[in-house]
Amino acid sequence: MQNTPPKILDTAKYLPILLDRHFPVHDPYLEHLHEPDPEPGQVLHYHDTLELGLCREGSGLFIIQHQTLPFGPGDLSVIIPGVPHIARSNRQDISRWHFIDIDVNQLFMLENPDIRLIEQQAFILRFTRPAGFSGIISRSRQSPRMAGLVMQLIQELKDRDAYALPAVRAIISLLFVEIVRYADRIQYNMPINRPDQKTVAEIMPAILYISRHYDQELTIPDLAGRCRMSVSAFRRRFHQVFALSPADYLYQVRIRMAKTLLRQNQLSITEIAGQVGYPTLSSFNRHFRKYVDQSPTEYQRAQIALFGQDIR
């Protein structure tokens, strides 16, 4: 049964996912990993199934509802049914993904009152409602088990033997527990006063444009024009959604992407500065310290100290 979509979905595209009711879990990219387009369309999409993603390589940005979230190798995406989203790869670093579609109700038989499975705990319901956790879990913030469980799940879907369904159900149960633990650890809660979804939809053209061109010089009048607004109205609506100015939002997107690239530890800091839109290393260092309270070098060293040399 399709979730009742929030207002923002009036401008998002519904993409139905057809799953086998006897085996309601599917990864269409087992043999050929999905490569999100660096230039995606202007419209977000949503499903009535849960989507789990594992980034195997590359980097880019995910827009989930109105959040713009960077990703890199080893990162996980969690998209609750009915939540609008779109992924884009960096032009210089095309990403490749597994995306796993799950019909949670069917898999755990939540609608059958005669079934009493351990999985029918309250936390399972957190993966069927739009207020549940949707977002990116970076490799550096995962529990040690989380990515391993996703890889086990992918292997079960590849093998698909006579015992695959109970194995898949058990792995997803454990994975859900780890995701809920993570959400509780970061104290994830949907804000009581969520942004007005009509306002979000009005500024979505600017959000999408920033996600594709954050590495270029952008002007507020141009972004306002893409939303067919005056500059003053655009600034006002943008602040209503993010409690930030458009310029501060752009800088935060750049710095978050820079943090992802720094964790990969594959490019020099000068190269990263250029990739995220800073023409000079001094301006990059200044903004990075403003938003992270560390220099890029200090941040990268701290990440390596915490998570080892392979911190992707």
Side-chain angles (χ1 to χ4, degrees), residues 43-70:
V43 179
L44 281 70
H45 64 271
Y46 64 100
H47 319 287
D48 52 13
T49 53
L50 176 75
E51 179 185 283
L52 294 179
L54 172 63
C55 180
R56 300 303 301 272
E57 56 186 273
S59 59
L61 292 171
F62 233 116
I63 296 179
I64 302 176
Q65 299 193 94
H66 63 286
Q67 304 176 82
T68 303
L69 305 171

Side-chain angles (χ1 to χ4, degrees), residues 213-232:
H213 303 286
Y214 65 88
D215 57 341
Q216 302 170 20
E217 185 175 351
L218 302 178
T219 68
I220 305 305
D222 180 51
L223 293 173
R226 293 178 183 279
C227 299
R228 300 182 180 180
M229 295 181 191
S230 68
V231 169
S232 60

Side-chain angles (χ1 to χ4, degrees), residues 147-211:
L149 288 169
V150 175
M151 292 306 298
Q152 288 182 47
L153 175 58
I154 291 169
Q155 191 61 52
E156 289 291 343
L157 294 175
K158 284 183 177 179
D159 295 342
R160 193 73 181 267
D161 63 14
Y163 305 101
L165 182 59
V168 163
R169 186 181 289 123
I171 293 168
I172 291 176
S173 295
L174 290 172
L175 187 58
F176 281 4
V177 170
E178 294 300 319
I179 293 171
V180 168
R181 283 174 173 163
Y182 169 80
D184 288 349
R185 189 164 66 247
I186 65 170
Q187 298 181 323
Y188 174 87
N189 288 296
M190 292 295 287
I192 296 174
N193 297 316
R194 285 188 289 173
D196 176 70
Q197 298 304 292
K198 181 176 181 294
T199 305
V200 172
E202 288 174 343
I203 65 170
M204 186 55 67
I207 296 172
L208 286 165
Y209 192 79
I210 290 171
S211 77

Side-chain angles (χ1 to χ4, degrees), residues 119-131:
E119 296 93 343
Q120 286 180 266
Q121 301 294 331
F123 72 86
I124 289 289
L125 296 176
R126 294 173 67 168
F127 294 89
T128 65
R129 299 168 180 170

Side-chain angles (χ1 to χ4, degrees), residues 108-110 112-120:
F108 295 108
M109 296 171 281
L110 295 181
N112 187 340
D114 298 324
I115 302 291
R116 294 292 182 264
L117 297 175
I118 187 64
E119 296 93 343
Q120 286 180 266

